Amino acid sequence: MKNTRFLILSFLLISISAFAQKPQKLTSNQIYEKVQKLNFLGTVLYIAAHPDDENTRLIAYLANNVKARTGYLSITRGDGGQNLIGPEIRELLGVIRTQELLAARRLDGGEQFFTRANDFGYSKHPDETLEIWEKEKVLSDVVWAIRTFKPDVIINRFNHKTPGSTHGHHTTSAMLSVEAFDLAKDTTQFASQLKYTKTWAPKRLFFNTSSWFYKNEQEFDEATKGKLASFDVGTYYPLKGVSNNELASMASSQHLSQGFGRLNTRGEQKEYIEFLKGTPLSDTKDIFSDIDTTWNRIINGGEIGDILYEIEKNFDFVNPSKHLPKLMEAYKLVQKIEDIHWREIKEKQLEEIIEACAGLYLEASVDSSYGIPNATIEVDFEVLNRSNTAIGLTSITSTIDQNIIYKGLELTPNKEVNFKEKIILNTEEFTAPYWLKNEPTLGMYAVENQLLIGNPETPRAVKIAFNLIINYMTITITKDVVVKYAERDKGEIYEPFEILPKITTKIVDKVLVFSDSIPKNISVEIKAGANYVSGKVHLEVPENWTVSPEEMVFTIEQKNDKRTATFLVSPPKNQSEGTMKVIATSEGKTYTKEKIEIAYNHIPKQTVLLNSEAKVVRLNIEKSGNYIGYINGAGDAIPESLRQIGYTVVEIHPAEITEKSLEKFDAIVLGIRAYNVVDELKFKQKFLLNYVEKGGNLIVQYNTNRGVDVAAPFDLKLSNDRVTDEFAEVRFLNENHPLLNFPNKITADDFKGWVQERGLYFPASWSSEYVPVFSMNDKGESAKDGSLLIAKYGKGNYIYTGLSFFRELPAGVSGAYKLFANLLSAQQQIAPIIEEVKE
């Protein structure tokens, strides 16, 4: 039965993923729910630190049961986490996790917001977090979210009163929320925002507490007795055919890069909130108690409410188009609302309902995924009225060139109208993620446009306004231009339409390591964003590096076609590192960006523009052993990094592991979280240990400690121990240890320049067979000695390391390369010394 439920959930998620990019077409049930939501004028904002921190059960309950306008403010985009579905980390992972949040909100009914804070990785205390985040900027963004979203109620996911007890980002998100609650109404605070919005005073602030924040249920009950309001969020929605917690499970399962795919839950489930600030609840079952959430909240709103409450009360599920005359009457009144905030919200909601009730199909599509600035594109229009209501299309307007195209069409019921029009992409701006446009700092993204701050993604630049007459009244419904095509094995596919540069370039390897002074041929890929592109390309290299030729000429006739330019790059004799940049020029313009496409089934295709560059490293490094087997884990770039310094790396598929198949390797490496994500390893562990016992060298990189057995040859207990400060002192427990001396001498200088962290999920205890190599710790903590352990097993070596090589090697950290080369050293070179070190 359990497997059957899992298959049902999997089918639902696959179905949702397949249609995630298609324009939503509402059923009568969904239209009715939209009307209910239209008639509730209350807003709640949920605040936490990262994607996947949000409580989808409570968000879904507020959005679907209470019918409140519900938003989630994630302080970061989750850029510092790990990726279980692919190789993308840092800013590219942030793009994926942004879209996963939007996918979750499409399911649970919420809206999504962010600040400019950059997720720099795990933090143990808010003090550290706020040092890196630039507190005033992040605080201003939280205030901005409150002033623009205007929540009546704010709910924090984390406890602001317990700094140091959990992830520093978590506690900081709550601390910022508590502070912003009061600042948002103060005209003297962040006054520059008031050019675009007004101050706002939320009614009350809560903490979404639970027994998870306590040692056990008893402690939770004792600490919170009489302080909490609670809700049963397991309510069943007959119109949807699912319970609220089932809906929430499907929403949280969109966080696939974090491994959040899960079975649905259903039945009674309690959520608790603790009052923190503002006006206390008069009714502990209603977070909006004493707040007017009816149309009477708005000046002259009662007249609108009279119309819309009647529609809700007598909604016709069989023929919703019969409500169009009254809906249009309400729409005309909404346009007269003086309160701009509510007017814009209710106009948008009514436009969606009217479009759905009329069965209108309005689409503007193109067959190319992008265009370049100032180009002319041809757009295919499809317009269809599937109701018996008289509807006319007076004109269409392109928002990007402001061109009004008059149509004067009467839309005959169920008679499709198709036509083509040309539109000029009158802009120099690109539609790639706006927060990546400028160079970020470790803790902050640089966003200059105040009106973009908080947006989950870059607004679509190319929109079409369909100007209509329905029931003798005008209405404008705006649609994004989309890309639409079909594939035989997938069916109809939709993608976002982008505006991108005419020329993009790419160096395939983002880190180029020169282990000697021999020059290397470096290939640069040049891609055309239009037909008939020509120009020149050259490389900018650091001082003392040379490149030949100085520049190369290219001509590309077809859009999307590529050319390759090859340069000979010579490193200096001595150790050196820097950045090599690609510069292309054409018709007096300079092009410096690489186009990166991210495509997964559960999110819309994403196009990212990053600087076209690579890190170059001249490294004096020695190697012993060459033929390396690599078993992939949760996606990392270490195999490519090892090839950079001359290793032959063969990726091993677990199904192919046999006793014989492993004998040929000088060393075998397990990728990060391999035991977490590769179930088959539990059946192949005997072969890996046998390989070690016969004289092999096995390197196991970090795994999380949740329900995993790394099946080490001797007792080894994983933990949450980590060192998050990448500058933390690294102490050598035995400077004579072979791993520190062969074939490269490792010194303290080799731990300079590390990024994001030293390491994570270190073992906390181990048997005497293991020899620890390093000791390190974050400020104010005890020493952590489990970052790198080695044990002799039979004739070979078993190495377990939590050091974050998966970040350091792709970042080109010289010392990390030297240390990893030592780990890979042929077993027979270091085995005799292990016993000596232990003695």
Side-chain angles (χ1 to χ4, degrees):
M1 185 65 181
K2 182 178 180 181
N3 289 336
T4 302
R5 289 177 179 172
F6 179 75
L7 289 171
I8 291 170
L9 174 59
S10 299
F11 174 77
L12 285 171
L13 291 176
I14 290 168
S15 301
I16 290 163
S17 299
F19 293 98
Q21 302 178 48
K22 292 188 177 183
Q24 187 182 24
K25 302 296 182 287
L26 301 179
T27 66
S28 289
N29 284 0
Q30 290 170 318
I31 297 171
Y32 176 68
E33 290 178 308
K34 296 283 185 183
V35 172
Q36 290 180 306
K37 206 169 183 72
L38 177 70
N39 284 335
F40 189 93
L41 280 72
T43 306
V44 58
L45 181 63
Y46 198 89
I47 298 179
H50 310 106
D52 75 34
D53 282 345
E54 81 275 24
N55 184 342
T56 52
R57 293 185 301 273
L58 191 51
I59 289 174
Y61 176 82
L62 293 167
N64 294 280
N65 186 278
V66 179
K67 307 299 179 185
R69 183 171 178 241
T70 307
Y72 173 44
L73 174 60
S74 179
I75 302 296
T76 76
R77 296 176 185 268
D79 329 72
Q82 285 85 51
N83 183 2
L84 284 181
I85 61 174
E88 298 88 355
I89 58 174
R90 292 303 305 148
E91 62 276 321
L92 297 181
L93 177 58
V95 171
I96 292 172
R97 298 188 71 188
T98 293
Q99 291 300 318
E100 288 178 337
L101 274 175
L102 289 170
R105 297 296 81 77
R106 284 191 288 271
L107 285 167
D108 62 29
E111 299 178 48
Q112 186 60 52
F113 308 99
F114 295 94
T115 75
R116 290 170 290 176
N118 190 347
D119 180 0
F120 56 85
Y122 194 89
S123 170
K124 294 180 177 177
H125 199 280
D127 291 348
E128 178 198 20
T129 300
L130 291 171
E131 282 179 11
I132 296 174
W133 270 359
E134 299 182 53
K135 177 187 175 183
E136 285 304 298
K137 288 183 179 179
V138 185
L139 181 60
S140 75
D141 291 355
V142 179
V143 169
W144 172 255
I146 294 171
R147 286 174 172 174
T148 53
F149 193 60
K150 302 190 184 305
D152 301 297
V153 177
I154 297 175
I155 302 175
N156 293 341
R157 180 65 179 118
F158 299 106
N159 191 349
H160 70 287
K161 296 177 287 188
T162 55
S165 63
T166 183
H167 196 324
H169 296 183
H170 292 172
T171 310
T172 301
S173 71
M175 292 168 61
L176 291 170
S177 173
V178 170
E179 192 170 351
F181 181 86
D182 295 316
L183 297 180
K185 63 187 176 186
D186 188 339
T187 57
T188 68
Q189 299 295 320
F190 307 113
S192 62
Q193 296 179 1
L194 301 180
K195 291 184 288 186
Y196 310 102
T197 189
K198 295 181 179 179
T199 57
W200 181 252
K203 187 81 169 181
R204 50 184 67 105
L205 173 67
F206 297 100
F207 161 41
N208 180 200
T209 189
S210 73
S211 58
W212 185 81
F213 295 98
Y214 295 82
K215 292 180 181 178
N216 50 53
E217 289 280 353
Q218 182 179 351
E219 184 178 311
F220 169 62
D221 292 339
E222 291 174 356
T224 60
K225 188 174 182 179
K227 298 180 181 180
L228 307 180
S230 67
F231 313 96
D232 175 13
V233 296
T235 184
Y236 176 66
Y237 301 128
L239 291 174
K240 297 179 186 294
V242 295
S243 300
N244 182 79
N245 33 17
E246 289 178 283
L247 188 66
S249 295
M250 287 187 282
S252 63
S253 287
Q254 299 307 298
H255 295 298
L256 296 183
S257 67
Q258 287 295 98
F260 266 48
R262 60 185 61 183
L263 289 171
N264 285 357
T265 60
R266 54 197 62 79
E268 183 182 57
Q269 196 165 21
K270 289 290 184 72
E271 284 293 337
Y272 301 90
I273 56 173
E274 178 182 345
F275 175 76
L276 298 179
K277 274 190 174 186
T279 305
L281 292 173
S282 60
D283 179 356
T284 57
K285 297 298 180 184
D286 179 12
I287 65 170
F288 289 97
S289 59
D290 303 319
I291 299 172
D292 190 350
T293 57
T294 72
W295 278 98
N296 291 324
R297 178 172 190 162
I298 299 172
I299 296 174
N300 299 323
E303 186 180 359
I304 301 170
D306 289 342
I307 298 170
L308 295 177
Y309 292 135
E310 185 66 23
I311 292 173
E312 180 181 347
K313 181 179 178 181
N314 298 295
F315 187 77
D316 191 331
F317 288 86
V318 176
N319 180 28
S321 65
K322 83 173 211 180
H323 300 297
L324 284 171
K326 287 294 184 182
L327 286 168
M328 290 302 299
E329 186 181 335
Y331 182 72
K332 189 174 182 179
L333 293 172
V334 165
Q335 291 179 306
K336 297 177 182 178
I337 293 174
E338 293 181 9
D339 188 321
I340 296 174
H341 174 73
W342 281 115
R343 183 175 72 222
E344 290 179 348
I345 291 169
K346 296 304 172 184
E347 271 186 347
K348 184 178 179 181
Q349 290 177 335
L350 265 169
E351 286 163 4
E352 185 179 20
I353 291 168
I354 290 167
E355 177 188 358
C357 284
L360 274 171
Y361 191 91
L362 305 171
E363 185 173 87
S365 65
V366 292
D367 57 8
S368 178
S369 61
Y370 67 97
I372 66 172
N374 301 309
T376 298
I377 61 171
E378 187 171 68
V379 182
D380 293 310
F381 289 87
E382 183 179 352
V383 182
L384 178 61
N385 168 21
R386 289 175 288 193
S387 73
N388 291 319
T389 301
I391 299 176
L393 176 64
T394 59
S395 63
I396 57 174
T397 307
S398 164
T399 57
I400 199 166
D401 63 9
Q402 301 301 315
N403 185 29
I404 301 175
I405 302 171
Y406 294 96
K407 305 307 295 184
L409 297 174
E410 181 181 341
L411 302 181
T412 306
N414 214 32
K415 296 290 185 181
E416 185 181 61
V417 178
N418 298 96
F419 55 91
K420 297 177 183 289
E421 298 291 348
K422 291 184 177 179
I423 291 171
I424 300 173
L425 302 179
N426 186 25
T427 181
E428 295 293 335
E429 296 294 321
F430 304 127
T431 51
Y434 70 88
W435 63 96
L436 300 178
K437 179 180 179 181
N438 301 313
E439 195 70 25
T441 64
L442 175 62
M444 295 295 297
Y445 285 112
V447 181
E448 298 169 357
N449 185 343
Q450 179 66 51
L451 295 176
L452 285 176
I453 292 173
N455 287 355
E457 54 187 345
T458 303
R460 296 289 109 193
V462 192
K463 296 177 181 289
I464 299 295
F466 293 85
N467 303 309
L468 304 157
I469 294 178
I470 301 178
N471 206 46
Y472 307 104
M473 287 180 275
T474 60
I475 184 172
T476 297
I477 297 175
T478 302
K479 298 288 183 180
D480 294 333
V481 170
V482 296
V483 181
K484 184 173 75 169
Y485 61 97
E487 291 186 1
R488 291 188 177 186
D489 60 340
K490 295 178 182 177
E492 189 176 56
I493 297 173
Y494 281 81
E495 292 177 357
F497 177 73
E498 312 282 9
I499 299 178
L500 299 171
K502 183 174 75 170
I503 298 169
T504 55
T505 60
K506 176 183 179 181
I507 303 175
V508 175
D509 295 310
K510 299 310 171 200
V511 175
L512 298 164
V513 181
F514 293 72
S515 57
D516 50 40
S517 58
I518 298 174
K520 288 185 180 182
N521 283 320
I522 304 301
S523 295
V524 175
E525 181 183 281
I526 307 159
K527 186 171 185 179
N531 293 333
Y532 307 110
V533 171
S534 62
K536 298 178 180 180
V537 62
H538 71 274
L539 297 179
E540 285 187 359
V541 293
E543 187 178 359
N544 296 325
W545 292 68
T546 61
V547 60
S548 177
E550 290 187 3
E551 65 179 19
M552 297 189 73
V553 175
F554 63 88
T555 299
I556 307 175
E557 294 184 357
Q558 295 291 325
K559 179 179 179 178
N560 288 325
D561 204 356
K562 302 172 185 176
R563 294 289 182 270
T564 300
T566 302
F567 297 88
L568 187 66
V569 176
S570 301
K573 291 183 178 180
N574 298 320
Q575 196 155 303
S576 169
E577 61 183 59
T579 301
M580 180 170 67
K581 299 180 179 180
V582 184
I583 312 293
T585 56
S586 176
E587 298 179 337
K589 291 188 177 181
T590 299
Y591 299 90
T592 61
K593 296 296 183 182
E594 174 186 352
K595 183 175 78 169
I596 300 168
E597 293 183 342
I598 300 173
Y600 291 99
N601 288 335
H602 65 304
I603 59 174
K605 176 183 169 185
Q606 297 298 298
T607 304
V608 182
L609 295 176
L610 297 179
N611 290 332
S612 183
E613 60 188 28
K615 184 173 182 179
V616 288
V617 179
R618 168 67 175 96
L619 176 62
N620 292 319
I621 187 171
E622 299 291 336
K623 305 190 305 295
S624 177
N626 177 61
Y627 202 60
I628 309 302
Y630 201 94
I631 301 173
N632 285 312
D636 64 60
I638 287 181
E640 291 81 1
S641 300
L642 296 179
R643 293 182 184 114
Q644 281 282 329
I645 53 175
Y647 285 103
T648 299
V649 182
V650 177
E651 296 183 26
I652 303 172
H653 300 289
E656 300 170 358
I657 294 176
T658 65
E659 186 171 345
K660 282 287 185 184
S661 70
L662 303 180
E663 290 177 350
K664 57 192 174 187
F665 295 108
D666 296 322
I668 293 173
V669 183
L670 271 68
I672 59 172
R673 300 177 74 169
Y675 289 100
N676 293 121
V677 299
V678 184
D679 288 338
E680 199 165 359
L681 278 179
K682 69 181 71 170
F683 306 111
K684 301 294 184 177
Q685 185 67 12
K686 61 182 178 181
F687 298 120
L688 292 171
L689 292 181
N690 188 57
Y691 162 79
V692 178
E693 193 172 22
K694 289 184 175 182
N697 193 32
L698 181 66
I699 302 161
V700 180
Q701 296 182 84
Y702 93 92
N703 289 264
T704 62
N705 65 336
R706 292 189 293 270
V708 66
D709 179 9
V710 297
F714 310 108
D715 188 43
L716 185 70
K717 295 289 191 300
L718 302 184
S719 72
N720 286 320
D721 285 353
R722 61 178 76 203
V723 176
T724 62
D725 182 0
E726 62 267 44
F727 305 106
E729 178 191 6
V730 177
R731 298 175 293 277
F732 296 6
L733 295 175
N734 185 335
E735 293 185 356
N736 296 319
H737 194 287
L739 287 180
L740 301 177
N741 293 278
F742 182 85
N744 301 285
K745 177 68 174 177
I746 304 298
T747 70
D749 286 344
D750 291 307
F751 286 92
K752 292 180 179 178
W754 282 51
V755 298
Q756 187 159 323
E757 63 203 354
R758 290 295 189 199
L760 62 172
Y761 293 104
F762 297 164
S765 64
W766 51 87
S767 66
S768 60
E769 287 83 359
Y770 295 97
V771 176
V773 179
F774 301 117
S775 180
M776 59 189 75
N777 57 273
D778 283 321
K779 183 179 178 181
E781 293 192 350
S782 61
K784 305 292 186 289
D785 294 348
S787 64
L788 179 60
L789 304 173
I790 181 169
K792 190 169 186 297
Y793 180 64
K795 297 178 181 179
N797 296 309
Y798 177 93
I799 299 172
Y800 189 93
T801 179
L803 293 172
S804 59
F805 289 109
F806 75 103
R807 296 194 190 279
E808 312 313 321
L809 298 191
V813 178
S814 300
Y817 273 92
K818 290 169 63 179
L819 179 56
F820 209 91
N822 284 13
L823 301 187
L824 294 172
S825 298
Q827 135 62 22
Q828 61 268 27
Q829 299 285 347
I830 61 175
I833 317 175
I834 298 295
E835 288 299 320
E836 180 183 335
V837 171
K838 287 174 63 178
E839 290 171 5

